[in-house]
Amino acid sequence: MEVTGVVEIFSGGHGLGYVTLDDGRCYDLALPASVLKNSRRWDTKRVVITGSLQFRPRMAEMMWFDIKDRKIEGFGCSEDVIYVESISKI
């Protein structure tokens, strides 16, 4: 899938980030390490993101979980998570 919106990245933890689309929808992001290491470069920027849609597992008191090779926080803005394959500023 491909989405356009404003990304927000929280440093620390397991890389919680999300993108808010123009229509108000929000998707949590499983971000690559290169983006997390340079979070200031990306935080609050308008971007185009491509990736595959994954679903957050429902588990009581989940702190984090794995999506492929990435860990993300167990909570966020939606039950849908985009496994980010590419990200670019607009």
Side-chain angles (χ1 to χ4, degrees), residues 62-81:
M62 179 176 47
M63 297 298 289
W64 56 269
F65 65 97
D66 294 323
I67 292 181
K68 300 182 184 183
D69 61 337
R70 301 176 189 168
K71 289 187 185 329
I72 69 166
E73 300 288 342
F75 57 91
C77 68
S78 76
E79 292 183 9
D80 298 322
V81 179

Side-chain angles (χ1 to χ4, degrees):
M1 74 181 302
E2 180 177 291
V3 297
T4 301
V6 176
V7 70
E8 188 163 346
I9 301 171
F10 300 98
S11 58
H14 294 289
L16 178 63
Y18 62 86
V19 62
T20 303
L21 309 186
D22 295 338
D23 65 6
R25 287 182 295 159
C26 179
Y27 291 97
D28 291 315
L29 303 173
L31 294 161
S34 61
V35 172
L36 294 173
K37 287 179 186 176
N38 297 306
S39 61
R40 289 184 187 169
R41 176 179 180 223
W42 298 101
D43 191 36
T44 67
K45 302 299 188 284
R46 189 161 172 76
V47 297
V48 174
I49 292 173
T50 60
S52 59
L53 189 62
Q54 308 288 320
F55 298 99
R56 181 185 310 280
R58 295 181 187 198
M59 300 167 64
E61 298 184 28
M62 179 176 47
M63 297 298 289
W64 56 269
F65 65 97
D66 294 323
I67 292 181
K68 300 182 184 183
D69 61 337
R70 301 176 189 168
K71 289 187 185 329
I72 69 166
E73 300 288 342
F75 57 91
C77 68
S78 76
E79 292 183 9
D80 298 322
V81 179
I82 298 174
Y83 182 90
V84 177
E85 294 166 4
S86 71
I87 182 171
S88 57
K89 290 182 191 177
I90 297 178

